[in-house]
Amino acid sequence: MGGGKRFAVLLCAEDSDYVKKRYGGYYGVFVEMLAEEGETWDVFKVANGEFPDDNEIDNFDGFVITGSCNDAHGDDVWICKLIALLNKLNSLNKKVLGICFGHQILSRALGGKTGRAISGWDIGVTAIHLSSSSSKLFSSLKIPTTLSVIECHRDEVRELPPKAEVIAWSEKTGVEMFRYGDHILGIQGHPEYTKDILLHLIDRLLQRSFIEESYADVLKAKLVKVEPDKEAWKKLCTSFLKGRL
């Protein structure tokens, strides 16, 4: 079914003990959502300085960039190295899917701007609206034009790269998804997350004093009432990455 294709997860975050134990790390979370029979999936812990060699890049059919605790507008050594890698992948027309931090760093690498979201944290299950052009792009998937996705971010894409197109937005975030040519797709939300992962993250943000306890309680109460459209997102992400759109 997978036709022997090979993909790489560029891991931009440190796995918490909980996610490691329950899901096999964030790499395991992405493989659960995206992998199909016959494919090979590798991981490069880019936040720890682990990158594919130049001669390895051609071996991969596509790349997935994960979320991160770091800012996409930062200048850490590994972030600058990641930007150089993304420019190389773009020049080779490799399929690249960026999630949250991955979405933001793709935008920056291609000439856009990222920064703190004016509206502050967006945590929870958010309704995003597909543009009319993206509805056509995804028409073969038969998915709704409004999709719910788990979000957990306080940064956003402020300015799109030249030639990039916004293909989804929400009330809080103007660029929820963008595409660049046929080979690059950025998604601000976390289609790979479960509500369990988000609840764990809310607790971690609270422990680190990033959010107040009253806000955490409100978020947890709201989560009981809503569900993300996980199957639709899985279909969208796998179809893009595997060239089936």
Side-chain angles (χ1 to χ4, degrees), residues 224-242:
V224 177
K225 302 169 188 169
V226 286
E227 291 296 331
D229 292 312
K230 277 188 74 68
E231 282 308 307
W233 283 108
K234 178 176 180 168
K235 200 188 289 186
L236 188 156
C237 292
T238 51
S239 298
F240 161 76
L241 202 57
K242 282 91 186 268

Side-chain angles (χ1 to χ4, degrees), residues 2-17:
K5 288 190 172 184
R6 191 173 175 195
F7 298 93
V9 174
L10 304 177
L11 187 63
C12 304
E14 287 288 335
D15 289 323
S16 68
D17 289 340

